[in-house]
Amino acid sequence: MANPPLQPVRGTRDLIGEDFRGHHHVVGTARRILALYGHEEWATPIFESTAVFARSLGETSDVVSKEMYSFEDRGGDSITLRPEGTAGVCRALVSNGLTQANLPRKVFYAGPMFRYERPQKGRYRQFHQIGAEVLGAAEPLADAEVIAAGWHILQELGISEGVVLEINTLGDAESRDAYRAALLEHFTAHQAALSPDSQVRLAKNPMRILDSKDEGDRAIVATAPTIQPFLTAAAAGFFDAVLRHLDTLGVPTRQNPRIVRGLDYYSHTAFEFVTDRLGAQGTVMAGGRYDGLVAEMGGPATPSVGWAAGVERLSMLLAAAPAAPRPVAVIPVGEAQEAAALGLLQDLRRAGLVAEIAYKGNLKRRMERANRLSARAALILGEDELAAGQVQLRDLDAGSQATIPLAEAVSRLGA
Ligand code: ATP
Ligand code: MG
């Protein structure tokens, strides 16, 4: 009996055809725009020691408490498939001895991330992120600039319409201590009604409850105090400066005091670019300031700020994936013209044109193949024309045909 066809693992997907092209377009656009802002691309490993994430993201975060793909490798080390990119970038900054020279350092990354989540539209177990980090900058202008770069990418992709930047501050340590006490009081008063997960959070990290997705929790969160009255003058001043710079840089903002972000390493600025065009999975780009993360990795205090965006969600917002390139089909009429056809084929490719030749078949079959590939033109090499140094150029959209000098074929097709 034949083997049953194998399926991809739940929550993973193959990127093929327009899915791949949309993905590639999002990553390529981010790479190009971030280069304009001085970001250099880094590629860090897809797996890291579990400690890289467990230490930094916070043990009560959803990611660490229930979403990590962790396993023991054959040598007995605890390994985790990266659930996000920032921890690895900070680890790399420290591991490569880059914590002193040339700060601030602006980094871009792109690649797959892994989280054990319930798969649904816009939520996968292997998904992809692009991310931007500004490492070693304590100034509010760094926050505003990296956010402006994100906005620029959304605009360049043509998807900024209907996307809103929601922004908040998590203050400094002093603001947060005061706020945490107020939250503890609020949530303790509603303790019995909290979800089991949030009961645990209440004991360990009450701020984490603000990020809960549980319906019952959301109602209790709605009446919780916001951080604003607990901000120190310095923290409030920092936030004002970020907002002012964003305004100057032309990025529209909407303050949302409920934004806390899911990971423990954030302080001061926290933000999300959200849309209502993707149903429940409406956050397309999110980030904030993380002043303590590099120190968690064993480096010196290195205030930093950045964001990550889900490539699948950005792709879904694209009006259309970029079209596949349309080839030029080179068609020898018989075997005797094949060598000349191959020569012309390579000349076209060397000139930067997409060109194809069918591996077999008569003229009719080869024309059919050209049509199936949506070829824009065919170059037909017949015996008489070749003897005269000529070739037939057929425009497959217009249906028109002309006999042209072989030597002009490449330039006539646009190279
Ligand atoms: P969510 O609230 O949707 O779970 P998150 O806060 O866990 O998001 P981040 O850790 O901030 O997300 O990741 C940044 C971005 O990566 C998200 O805004 C989203 O676009 C994307 N993302 C996160 N998790 C997934 C996933 N499982 N599948 C697809 N995209 C994801
Ligand atoms: Mg999540």
Side-chain angles (χ1 to χ4, degrees):
M1 227 177 68
N3 288 328
L6 291 172
Q7 298 299 325
V9 172
R10 191 168 134 78
T12 69
R13 44 199 291 275
D14 302 307
L15 292 172
I16 295 176
E18 70 169 29
D19 287 340
F20 185 87
R21 293 197 305 276
H23 191 101
H24 188 71
H25 178 60
V26 167
V27 174
T29 302
R31 178 177 286 126
R32 181 165 56 78
I33 299 299
L34 285 170
L36 303 176
Y37 288 76
H39 289 251
E40 59 172 357
E41 186 164 357
W42 288 12
T44 64
I46 282 169
F47 57 83
E48 298 268 0
S49 302
T50 297
V52 167
F53 307 110
R55 243 199 241 173
S56 57
L57 313 193
E59 58 165 344
T60 53
S61 66
D62 275 359
V63 170
V64 173
S65 62
K66 47 193 183 199
E67 295 174 0
M68 291 209 303
Y69 276 96
S70 300
F71 58 96
E72 223 176 72
D73 71 6
R74 289 169 194 275
D77 292 325
S78 179
I79 299 295
T80 294
L81 301 185
R82 64 180 185 195
E84 57 100 61
T86 305
V89 165
C90 290
R91 195 272 307 137
L93 188 82
V94 175
S95 313
N96 290 280
L98 302 174
T99 54
Q100 308 297 340
N102 292 328
L103 297 180
R105 197 177 269 272
K106 297 175 177 177
V107 176
F108 163 64
Y109 63 82
M113 306 292 162
F114 306 85
R115 297 184 191 180
Y116 193 80
E117 300 202 69
R118 195 168 67 76
Q120 52 199 291
K121 184 184 169 210
R123 191 175 293 288
Y124 311 99
R125 290 182 175 175
Q126 175 176 324
F127 62 102
H128 298 78
Q129 283 183 340
I130 48 172
E133 317 287 2
V134 180
L135 304 160
E139 298 75 16
L141 184 52
D143 306 50
E145 192 188 32
V146 79
I147 292 171
W151 180 240
H152 192 159
I153 292 167
L154 298 176
Q155 288 179 314
E156 193 73 11
L157 289 170
I159 59 178
S160 59
E161 197 82 9
V163 175
V164 174
L165 170 63
E166 300 206 326
I167 189 164
N168 188 25
T169 178
L170 306 175
D172 47 20
E174 195 186 323
S175 321
R176 262 194 318 284
D177 284 346
Y179 183 43
R180 195 175 292 115
L183 283 179
L184 194 59
E185 191 177 322
H186 174 78
F187 289 126
T188 303
H190 296 88
Q191 182 161 13
L194 287 173
S195 68
D197 274 351
S198 286
Q199 310 246 358
V200 175
R201 295 176 181 126
L202 181 60
K204 291 186 171 167
N205 186 352
M207 272 183 75
R208 186 62 44 247
I209 300 174
L210 298 172
D211 202 39
S212 171
K213 294 190 171 74
D214 178 271
E215 285 283 316
D217 289 350
R218 305 289 329 150
I220 302 168
V221 165
T223 57
T226 67
I227 197 169
Q228 271 62 27
F230 304 96
L231 292 177
T232 60
F238 188 97
F239 190 41
D240 284 344
V242 173
L243 294 173
R244 186 162 38 78
H245 289 313
L246 282 170
D247 189 44
T248 309
L249 292 169
V251 185
T253 57
R254 181 200 288 162
Q255 289 188 49
N256 178 351
R258 297 291 164 207
I259 291 195
V260 288
R261 308 294 307 123
L263 308 174
D264 271 3
Y265 52 58
Y266 290 110
S267 56
H268 287 293
T269 318
F271 59 90
E272 299 186 349
F273 283 95
V274 297
T275 172
D276 53 15
R277 282 174 55 204
L278 294 176
Q281 271 59 250
T283 305
V284 292
M285 185 181 278
R289 174 161 280 282
Y290 50 93
D291 288 348
L293 187 51
V294 173
E296 290 279 355
M297 299 297 165
T302 309
S304 305
V305 58
W307 52 255
V311 177
E312 285 79 1
R313 294 186 196 176
L314 294 174
S315 284
M316 283 159 64
L317 290 176
L318 292 176
R326 298 180 65 195
V328 172
V330 177
I331 300 183
V333 165
E335 227 167 89
Q337 290 78 42
E338 198 172 67
L342 291 178
L344 178 55
L345 181 71
Q346 293 303 80
D347 286 347
L348 290 162
R349 291 170 174 166
R350 298 256 179 233
L353 296 170
V354 181
E356 287 261 24
I357 192 166
Y359 294 140
K360 61 170 196 221
N362 57 22
L363 177 60
K364 181 163 172 278
R365 281 285 153 75
R366 288 173 191 256
M367 281 309 297
E368 282 166 7
R369 168 87 185 149
N371 285 324
R372 266 199 308 280
L373 292 174
S374 300
R376 61 189 174 102
L379 286 166
I380 302 162
L381 293 91
E383 192 178 348
D384 295 346
E385 287 97 340
L386 258 192
Q390 294 180 319
V391 60
Q392 282 180 48
L393 170 60
R394 186 179 299 178
D395 180 322
L396 294 176
D397 290 329
S400 57
Q401 192 158 317
T403 302
I404 61 165
L406 184 58
E408 281 178 22
V410 171
S411 60
R412 287 283 282 260
L413 284 159

